[in-house]
Amino acid sequence: METTDQSTRILAIETSCDETAAAVIANGVTILSNVVASQTEIHARYGGVFPEVASRRHVEVIHPVVEEAMRVAHLGFGDLDCVAVTRGPGLVGSLLVGVNMAKGLAVARNLPLLGINHIEGHIYSLWLTEEAPHIRFPVLTLVVSGGHTELYLMTDHGQYRLLGATLDDAAGEAFDKVGRLLGLPFPGGPAIDAASDKGNPAAFRFPRAVMDQGYDFSFSGLKTAVVRQVSQYHSTAAMPTADLAASFQSAVVDALVSKTAAAAAATGATAVHMAGGVSANRALRAAMRARLALPVRVPPLALCTDNAAMIGAAAHFHFIRGRRDSLDLDVVPSLQLV
Ligand code: KG4
Ligand code: ZN
């Protein structure tokens, strides 16, 4: 695999949502530091990410987070080859904090600047695993996060074919909404994952969000079915929470796995990669591995949810191909990968 044809040390910054993160990555594959200041506890009070609060918190912690990433990496700014930053998709006010920080460093330290797509960052989290030397294209990648549910065929570095996407809610969004319905703490994904341990996934037969053709997903019908079931109980205390959680989770997992298996069979992919917050889900990992004959690769938990290490990995592969962005770089809240 061509990762060592040019050695790089890249400082990466990620502030697209509610994590303020900075990392230093060597050669696209080695984590020298990976600092994440999570705001999850702050937003849990509101039951979701509060954009205004998120951007203000990013402003407060971005400097110490970047300094900590440099300190842990034992590097000075003069040792860096580039500053990379998430430019979208994400919350505009949050993205702006990271992009302005990166621009300031690029000017002050005379460093090249690269704006990276957050989704591409999630995809490159797989290059930060010990599996990286085994990656061969084409790879089928399922990106499942709070804002995205997309299936890509990656044919080379930076080359993506979008095979399918959600037509309504993202998988993580469905987890978060159903978590709220069940009275579980925010974010709903990890809470449902944990609650499902004691539940029966066959207790309720929720609709499988499988469309007849193609590789698109839909989760709004499933969410409505959970709403209807939940409305039969007088309070969250009266609900069979574990059974509801496990049954909902099993419906989401079935939909994700069946579409991915069909796409894998049709495309000649050498492996299936999963990335994004929902790829932390234990039932999803187990079902994907059980259903697919191909290698199924997932990042370690810390690299599933938002972090800057993955942004640095993606940036390396752009940098060694000669890409440089201008200081006019702007945020693009609805940035598309393809
Ligand atoms: O990738 P991420 O950190 O942020 C976005 O870019 O959206 O993903 C966050 C999402 C949330 O919806 C959260 O509930 C979900 O990932 N999530 C999980 C699990 N851990 C995080 N969903 C299901 N099971 C999990 N274990
Ligand atoms: Zn993300």
Side-chain angles (χ1 to χ4, degrees):
M1 194 185 49
E2 44 163 338
T3 53
T4 49
D5 45 0
Q6 188 182 345
S7 87
T8 60
R9 283 161 170 172
I10 297 180
L11 169 65
I13 296 172
E14 151 69 43
T15 63
S16 66
C17 190
D18 62 342
E19 328 282 352
T20 317
V24 180
I25 300 302
N27 311 326
V29 292
T30 304
I31 299 175
L32 301 183
S33 64
N34 184 23
V35 179
V36 181
S38 177
Q39 306 178 6
T40 304
E41 279 179 28
I42 299 171
H43 298 285
R45 250 179 274 156
Y46 308 102
V49 177
F50 199 127
E52 208 30 59
V53 173
S55 50
R56 235 177 298 139
R57 183 72 186 146
H58 285 308
V59 170
E60 283 163 18
V61 302
I62 186 76
H63 282 271
V65 164
V66 167
E67 277 161 22
E68 177 71 357
M70 294 300 291
R71 191 187 64 75
V72 173
H74 298 293
L75 295 181
F77 287 102
D79 301 318
L80 297 174
D81 297 288
C82 173
V83 181
V85 63
T86 305
R87 68 182 303 222
L91 301 169
V92 63
S94 292
L95 289 164
L96 274 168
V97 178
V99 166
N100 284 327
M101 179 75 186
K103 281 185 185 177
L105 286 169
V107 172
R109 308 288 176 165
N110 197 24
L111 287 165
L113 177 69
L114 277 181
I116 300 298
N117 182 307
H118 179 82
I119 297 305
E120 187 167 45
H122 276 300
I123 289 171
Y124 272 93
S125 61
L126 275 304
W127 269 263
L128 296 168
T129 70
E130 56 195 24
E131 288 284 294
H134 306 297
I135 298 175
R136 299 281 176 278
F137 296 113
V139 167
L140 185 63
T141 305
L142 177 67
V143 179
V144 267
S145 72
H148 293 266
T149 303
E150 282 138 29
L151 201 48
Y152 294 100
L153 188 69
M154 186 176 182
T155 53
D156 200 345
H157 286 294
Q159 303 293 314
Y160 309 96
R161 195 143 64 80
L162 180 63
L163 301 179
T166 183
L167 302 175
D168 38 61
D169 290 352
E173 198 180 348
F175 269 100
D176 294 339
K177 286 178 178 170
V178 168
R180 209 170 304 145
L181 285 170
L182 301 183
L184 296 171
F186 173 83
I192 287 176
D193 190 336
S196 298
D197 278 347
K198 296 195 184 72
N200 172 10
F204 299 94
R205 179 73 196 170
F206 290 131
R208 267 42 189 163
V210 179
M211 323 297 288
D212 288 342
Q213 289 172 346
Y215 305 114
D216 288 332
F217 304 93
S218 166
F219 296 108
S220 71
L222 169 62
K223 186 188 62 196
T224 307
V226 178
V227 169
R228 208 173 301 129
Q229 186 62 41
V230 160
S231 68
Q232 300 185 11
Y233 308 100
H234 297 301
S235 68
T236 49
M239 288 178 196
T241 311
D243 283 350
L244 287 164
S247 301
F248 159 78
Q249 178 174 272
S250 139
V252 176
V253 167
D254 268 6
L256 294 173
V257 172
S258 61
K259 290 285 164 160
T260 306
T267 55
T270 67
V272 169
H273 290 184
M274 289 199 284
V278 181
S279 68
N281 187 269
R282 290 168 301 154
L284 177 61
R285 289 173 171 218
M288 201 66 92
R289 293 207 159 106
R291 269 287 282 284
L292 282 137
L294 298 175
V296 174
R297 302 191 184 112
V298 286
L301 289 186
L303 296 177
C304 287
T305 46
D306 289 349
N307 64 86
M310 66 188 196
I311 303 301
H316 166 86
F317 293 94
H318 286 287
F319 187 87
I320 62 173
R321 278 168 179 69
R323 199 187 118 197
R324 305 289 184 269
D325 290 339
S326 90
L327 288 169
D328 293 342
L329 181 80
D330 208 351
V331 304
V332 184
S334 56
L335 185 64
Q336 302 284 317
L337 186 56
V338 285

